[in-house]
Amino acid sequence: MSTIVKICGLRSAEAVAAALAAGADMVGFVFFPKSPRNVSLAEAVTLAGFVRGRAEIVALTVDADDAAIAAIRDRLKPDWFQLHGKETPERAAAIRRLAGTQVMKAIGVSEPADLARHAPYAAVVDRLLFDAKPPKGAVLPGGNGIAFDWDILAAGAGGRPFMLSGGLDPDNVGTAVARLTDVPGFVGVDVSSGVESAPGEKDAGRIAAFVAAARA
């Protein structure tokens, strides 16, 4: 199976066009005001109009309440909700019921012990996202451009499909995919800051290079 590639944190029609032209499978919109990649719901709805039917639409939220989830569900109609906050397994399950979509839960990893945190989520979400744990004091739960030791994932995610994120860029994603290809559950990679020229500013050339490297 071809490696799934998700380009996250898109904020402009040009960035969306670049992701689609490169062949991205998933396009992510960030709903988190502290992020340089934050978009309004109205902006996301407009951008999603270019995406629908060509790639899966992902809404990234951070500890969002029911009203926010319902508004995104009704207006954006995403294929996925990506939960990037401190959502408990119970909250993740509740969001999945409320949203009526597939749900992906981000798990921060910096050492082997962190991997065990995924187990309670495995039964209630459709996919896991192993991301680099943010450094102490970081404002953002992801998109910090740091990586972790991929060998931590050698045992897989207990049969649950998972994607890799954190510090990936066009130069290292090929190595990451090669390392994880035979790991049970590995399905793809997710990038945000690694394809930017500045925080929140996507670079079309880097997007194309990233997708090509991930698929090579």
Side-chain angles (χ1 to χ4, degrees):
M1 186 183 76
S2 176
T3 303
I4 295 170
V5 179
K6 174 173 171 279
I7 308 295
C8 196
L10 303 181
R11 299 191 310 146
S12 70
E14 292 77 15
V16 168
L20 295 174
D25 303 288
M26 308 177 81
V27 168
F29 299 111
V30 174
F31 298 97
F32 184 55
K34 293 181 181 179
S35 171
R37 302 161 192 102
N38 182 61
V39 291
S40 70
L41 185 49
E43 289 170 328
V45 169
T46 298
L47 294 173
F50 302 110
V51 178
R52 204 171 308 279
R54 300 178 65 186
E56 291 189 298
I57 297 166
V58 183
L60 186 157
T61 60
V62 179
D63 300 316
D65 61 21
D66 284 359
I69 296 293
I72 294 169
R73 174 198 66 195
D74 293 343
R75 293 187 59 192
L76 183 63
K77 298 179 174 60
D79 300 289
W80 291 82
F81 272 86
Q82 178 176 324
L83 311 182
H84 229 292
K86 297 179 180 178
E87 300 89 357
T88 63
E90 294 75 19
R91 179 60 181 155
I95 290 174
R96 191 171 183 270
R97 289 191 297 270
L98 175 63
T101 65
Q102 298 178 93
V103 167
M104 176 163 38
K105 178 69 179 91
I107 306 290
V109 178
S110 64
E111 58 186 7
D114 293 325
L115 196 60
R117 293 181 52 238
H118 83 268
Y121 294 94
V124 297
V125 300
D126 302 277
R127 189 176 294 171
L128 297 164
L129 176 73
F130 291 117
D131 193 5
K133 184 182 285 187
K136 276 190 174 180
V139 173
L140 303 179
N144 292 296
I146 55 176
F148 64 96
D149 181 0
W150 305 320
D151 286 341
I152 292 173
L153 303 180
R160 178 58 65 192
F162 75 89
M163 297 180 74
L164 174 69
S165 187
L168 296 176
D169 59 36
D171 296 323
N172 67 14
V173 67
T175 302
V177 170
R179 174 65 188 87
L180 296 176
T181 291
D182 295 325
V183 172
F186 174 69
V187 296
V189 290
D190 177 23
V191 68
S192 187
S193 61
V195 291
E196 292 179 346
S197 56
E201 301 300 325
K202 293 295 187 280
D203 181 281
R206 290 183 67 79
I207 289 174
F210 183 91
V211 176
R215 299 260 168 77

